């Protein structure tokens, strides 16, 4: 197999991905390759990744628990810090229990692997995150997808199913920033005797969790919470079932206990609401200003604000222009998004200033 030829083909299609090395803490201002940039592509929505109180809590966690957890949760890796965080997350989401995972990807894989022998069908939103799609394929059920946020399409597909099923959706969609109608999906789940599962990676901490009774809720801690890891929340029996059956949970070393102490502080700051209020104000300002100067930003009330370009080469060119002008904005291309919807994915953080937002939008307007 000639990987050189394959890589060349990727480059010719303007789909080649490369890593940029950050030389500073994650923040609204970031240094990459020695260049200072205003960061508009971080998922650190509440600007907690470099928050002084979160960092201090992490240091205290290291002093008490060391760095690594040493083993999986079921061996010797489940510390008091892990346990306290799970209880705090259950309380915050108003669920009976919560279970920590190392990443959102492994959490989604963990849920599906545990339900491998329990499901006859799964229906997923067309724009669900890749981890949900991969998890579906892992359990060997056909990948069936309904049209994005389309209840009629979902109902048509459900009418053809039999046995125990699950409806799966992102809450905030990671590339479009729009939101699923959880209440409508729960009504359909109840009518069809299906389980509802939502991935709230991009909504947790920013919007109040909407978790219907007996549904499955997954969220990540590496975005708005500013740390790392993920959790699944639900009723006590389901969480205990995951502990017994979820292979990614059983066979993965637990995340650092110090990360848990830092996340507990993040959760306190989320509850206080100051960072959330700043972010929501920035979202309103961004949308009003972009509308005022005629930028066709897609409809989104979340921190994710996409500008559809429709061409990989052009999206890359604009992203590079912005980089040279001091703004870090990612160009998102297939297979992450469908061909023809290539875009700039602009993400807003609580600590962005209105001046930074104005400057960015003016530069994008000029580049277009």
């Amino acid at each position: 197999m000639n990987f050189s030829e394959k890589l060349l083909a990727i480059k010719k299609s303007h789909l080649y991905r490369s890593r940029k090395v950050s030389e500073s803490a994650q923040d609204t201002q970031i240094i990459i390759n020695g260049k200072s940039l205003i960061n508009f592509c971080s998922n650190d929505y509440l600007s907690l990744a470099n928050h002084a109180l979160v960092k201090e809590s992490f240091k205290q966690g290291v002093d008490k628990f060391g760095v690594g957890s040493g083993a999986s949760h079921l061996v010797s890796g489940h510390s008091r810090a892990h346990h306290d965080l799970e209880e705090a997350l259950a309380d915050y989401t108003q669920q009976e229990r919560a279970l920590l995972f190392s990443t959102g990807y492994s959490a989604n894989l963990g849920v599906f692997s545990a339900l491998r022998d329990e499901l006859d069908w799964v229906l997923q939103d067309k724009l669900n995150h890749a981890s949900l799609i991969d998890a579906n394929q892992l359990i060997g059920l056909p990948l069936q997808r309904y049209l994005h946020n389309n209840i009629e399409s979902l109902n048509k597909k459900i009418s053809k199913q039999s046995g125990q099923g699950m409806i799966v959706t992102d809450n905030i969609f990671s590339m479009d920033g729009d939101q699923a109608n959880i209440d409508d999906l729960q009504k359909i789940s109840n009518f069809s005797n299906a389980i509802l599962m939502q991935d709230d990676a991009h909504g947790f901490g920013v919007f109040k969790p909407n978790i219907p009774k007996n549904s499955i809720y997954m969220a990540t801690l590496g975005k708005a919470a500013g740390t790392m890891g993920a959790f699944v929340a639900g009723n006590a029996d389901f969480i205990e079932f995951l502990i017994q059956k979820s292979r990614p949970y059983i066979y993965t070393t637990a995340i650092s206990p110090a990360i848990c102490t830092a996340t507990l502080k993040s959760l306190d700051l989320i509850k206080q609401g100051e960072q959330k209020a700043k972010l929501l104000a920035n979202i309103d300002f961004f949308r009003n200003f972009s509308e005022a100067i005629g930028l066709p930003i897609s409809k989104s009330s979340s921190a994710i604000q996409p500008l559809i370009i429709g061409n990989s080469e052009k999206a890359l060119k604009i992203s590079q222009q912005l980089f040279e002008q001091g703004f870090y904005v990612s160009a998102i291309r297939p297979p992450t998004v469908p061909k023809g919807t290539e875009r700039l994915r602009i993400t807003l953080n609580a600590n962005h200033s209105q001046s930074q937002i104005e400057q960015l939008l003016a530069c994008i307007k000029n580049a277009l």
Side-chain angles (χ1 to χ4, degrees):
M1 188 176 292
N2 191 325
F3 288 107
S4 295
E5 290 182 2
K6 292 182 180 295
L7 288 171
L8 184 60
I10 293 172
K11 289 179 180 178
K12 287 182 177 179
S13 301
H14 307 289
L15 299 177
Y16 190 81
R17 290 165 165 79
S18 59
R19 301 178 297 176
K20 291 181 171 66
V21 179
S22 171
E23 299 163 6
S24 62
Q26 189 67 219
D27 216 326
T28 51
Q29 200 85 22
I30 195 168
I31 298 173
I32 293 178
N33 300 335
K35 183 177 178 64
S36 180
L37 299 159
I38 301 172
N39 186 7
F40 278 101
C41 59
S42 170
N43 294 329
D44 180 28
Y45 303 130
L46 297 182
S47 300
L48 295 179
N50 194 35
H51 194 287
L53 295 178
V54 177
K55 291 193 292 185
E56 182 58 33
S57 293
F58 179 76
K59 293 172 186 175
Q60 291 173 2
V62 170
D63 288 342
K64 183 172 183 178
F65 295 103
V67 178
S69 64
S72 69
H73 286 274
L74 289 172
V75 181
S76 63
H78 189 69
S79 70
R80 170 52 61 183
H82 293 98
H83 205 73
D84 288 348
L85 179 56
E86 287 182 343
E87 290 187 339
L89 290 168
D91 179 69
Y92 178 76
T93 57
Q94 297 185 314
Q95 298 299 292
E96 291 179 355
R97 289 184 67 183
L99 190 69
L100 287 171
F101 285 82
S102 57
T103 66
Y105 207 105
S106 66
N108 283 335
L109 288 172
V111 170
F112 275 79
S113 72
L115 296 175
R116 180 195 298 268
D117 300 323
E118 313 302 322
L119 298 173
D120 300 301
W121 55 269
V122 178
L123 290 174
Q124 297 212 32
D125 188 287
K126 184 75 174 176
L127 297 186
N128 275 354
H129 189 264
S131 60
L132 291 169
I133 304 304
D134 292 353
N136 195 149
Q137 294 173 324
L138 171 74
I139 67 171
L141 285 177
L143 178 56
Q144 300 183 71
R145 302 167 82 173
Y146 59 92
L147 297 177
H148 175 52
N149 263 345
N150 190 312
I151 297 300
E152 182 181 356
S153 172
L154 175 58
N155 277 325
K156 283 182 179 179
K157 289 188 177 293
I158 280 185
S159 67
K160 301 175 184 178
Q161 312 303 322
S162 62
Q164 179 64 62
M166 185 162 72
I167 299 169
V168 184
T169 185
D170 281 6
N171 183 17
I172 301 296
F173 290 88
S174 60
M175 291 298 121
D176 290 76
D178 57 341
Q179 191 165 10
N181 190 325
I182 298 299
D183 291 335
D184 282 355
L185 292 175
Q186 180 61 22
K187 290 175 184 177
I188 295 171
S189 296
N190 290 340
F191 182 77
S192 59
N193 194 32
I195 303 166
L196 175 63
M197 177 183 177
Q198 64 173 299
D199 178 330
D200 198 22
H202 296 274
F204 177 78
V206 178
F207 301 106
K208 183 179 179 181
N210 177 9
I211 310 175
K213 188 176 181 181
N214 295 324
S215 65
I216 300 170
Y217 179 85
M218 193 288 292
T220 58
L221 303 169
K223 299 177 177 66
T227 57
M228 71 166 292
F231 70 98
V232 176
N235 69 51
D237 285 345
F238 175 68
I239 297 302
E240 191 61 34
F241 184 78
L242 283 183
I243 292 173
Q244 306 305 317
K245 292 293 232 177
S246 174
R247 292 174 67 83
Y249 180 81
I250 295 167
Y251 298 112
T252 300
T253 298
I255 60 173
S256 167
I259 287 289
C260 297
T261 63
T263 308
L264 282 164
K265 178 54 66 176
S266 291
L267 198 56
D268 286 342
L269 293 168
I270 288 170
K271 291 175 184 177
Q272 289 174 23
E274 180 182 348
Q275 293 300 97
K276 174 181 174 179
K278 289 164 62 179
L279 172 63
L280 294 179
N282 278 344
I283 293 170
D284 285 343
F285 181 82
F286 178 96
R287 295 206 60 80
N288 290 335
F289 193 84
S290 60
E291 182 178 353
I293 64 174
L295 275 180
I297 302 291
S298 298
K299 187 177 181 181
S300 166
S301 59
S302 73
I304 302 163
Q305 298 291 326
L307 175 61
I308 306 300
I309 304 299
N311 175 278
S312 291
E313 184 177 9
K314 186 176 180 182
L316 280 172
K317 183 178 179 182
I318 296 174
S319 177
Q320 183 58 35
Q321 281 181 258
L322 293 172
F323 189 90
E324 291 167 0
Q325 293 171 326
F327 299 96
Y328 193 18
V329 180
S330 291
I332 307 296
R333 297 154 288 152
T336 306
V337 294
K339 185 175 175 58
T341 69
E342 293 86 346
R343 68 197 61 190
L344 298 180
R345 181 183 181 269
I346 304 159
T347 55
L348 300 170
N349 294 174
N351 286 358
H352 280 131
S353 68
Q354 291 187 356
S355 174
Q356 290 172 333
I357 294 171
E358 285 181 356
Q359 292 172 51
L360 170 72
L361 291 175
C363 287
I364 291 176
K365 178 73 172 177
N366 290 335
L368 289 174

